[in-house]
Amino acid sequence: MGRVGIYKREGNVSLASFGIKFKKDKFGKKVDLTKSLSQMLPYIVTATAASALIQPASFAWVRKEYYAPALGGIMLSIGIQLSVSDFAIAFRRPLPVLVGYIAQYMVKPVLGLLVATAFNVPPAFAAGLILTSCVAGAQLSSYAAFLSEGDTALAIILTSITTITSVLVTPLLTRLFIGSVVPVDVIAMGYSILQVVIFPIMLGLALNTYAKAFVNKARQFMPLVAMVCTSLCIGSPLALNRSQIVSIEGFKLLFPVLAFHTSAFILGYWLPRLPWWRQDEKVSKTISLCTGMQSSTLAMLLATQFLGGSHAVPPACSVVVMAVVGLSLGSFWGKGNRVRDLGNSFYTHNEAYT
């Protein structure tokens, strides 16, 4: 009998387990290797970005044809941890899932459009930024929820549902918000999402259902596979578009990307707290992380295929910002801290100083 969020379930592997292997340190205390690996992700993402910009040759060899297999590897790492029974959680807890879905596919696309307009983002980057706001939730948001001691099951359900429905929703949102700026082939984009997202997830789900012995052995390596694939997807567009990123226009792009993610984290936290939702702290933290972190690697792939190389720069910058900020925020919450305490701490410090 395992535990998924606040629900118990029977079965071989819990959806929220992430293939966790526990070992003990020299003091006899259990060490969570998956959580330790997740805590390294912000540093690895930052190191990847730095390496791609300082030494472009380290990632310039990763051609755009490799993006789809790399993203497929990330999606497969999620699929092998899914079970059909896990989706029953969504039906038992429809309200948090509904709030998270609204934040993902209604609040965030509008936010992306507003940020692009407010910061007067150059046309070469604007469509890529808006596309980033229209894709599904990031797989890393589940890890961030795990680090934050939030509702991990809810995070995975939200990521799964937004990813599966992205085959229809993302092309429609893209047509709505940027169809007048660049040509968007809705059918081709939907087919691409089907290939690189839906198929790997369904393959992983089938393996976890019918080949559990293989999955039990493979699961412990999948976080590493996902990490390598994420690095490839981040480093390549940064290296190939280095001249644009290090330019004045590219530097200016950092501010709207940071503003977009910061606003998404804030809105994602307070939306569930509204009087007509009345969700608790764990749900609010989880939806905040799921709203502020989206599958920018998918946005990079779609931008490269349908919008042009320059439009892949905002999603590439987004990967770095959302991973560093989101996982750092998850770690901050996981240590028992609260954002609202920062203001109290600052006030107390100033009062003591005076």
Side-chain angles (χ1 to χ4, degrees), residues 94-172:
L95 186 56
V97 175
L98 175 62
V99 176
Y101 198 87
I102 290 174
Q104 183 70 47
Y105 279 139
M106 294 181 65
V107 174
K108 194 155 62 175
V110 173
L111 180 62
L113 179 63
L114 291 176
V115 169
T117 303
F119 283 86
N120 195 25
V121 177
F125 297 136
L129 178 59
I130 296 173
L131 173 61
T132 303
S133 70
C134 295
V135 294
Q139 297 72 41
L140 286 179
S141 63
S142 298
Y143 287 103
F146 175 66
L147 292 174
S148 72
E149 304 293 341
D151 194 330
T152 309
L154 173 62
I156 299 178
I157 288 297
L158 275 174
T159 301
S160 301
I161 292 178
T162 56
T163 299
I164 291 173
T165 58
S166 66
V167 68
L168 296 175
V169 179
T170 296
L172 292 177

Side-chain angles (χ1 to χ4, degrees), residues 292-323:
M293 305 175 73
Q294 67 284 323
S295 185
S296 301
T297 50
L298 175 60
M300 281 189 289
L301 174 65
L302 298 176
T304 302
Q305 290 182 338
F306 300 102
L307 304 180
S310 64
H311 291 291
V313 176
C317 296
S318 171
V319 173
V320 178
V321 172
M322 71 96 174

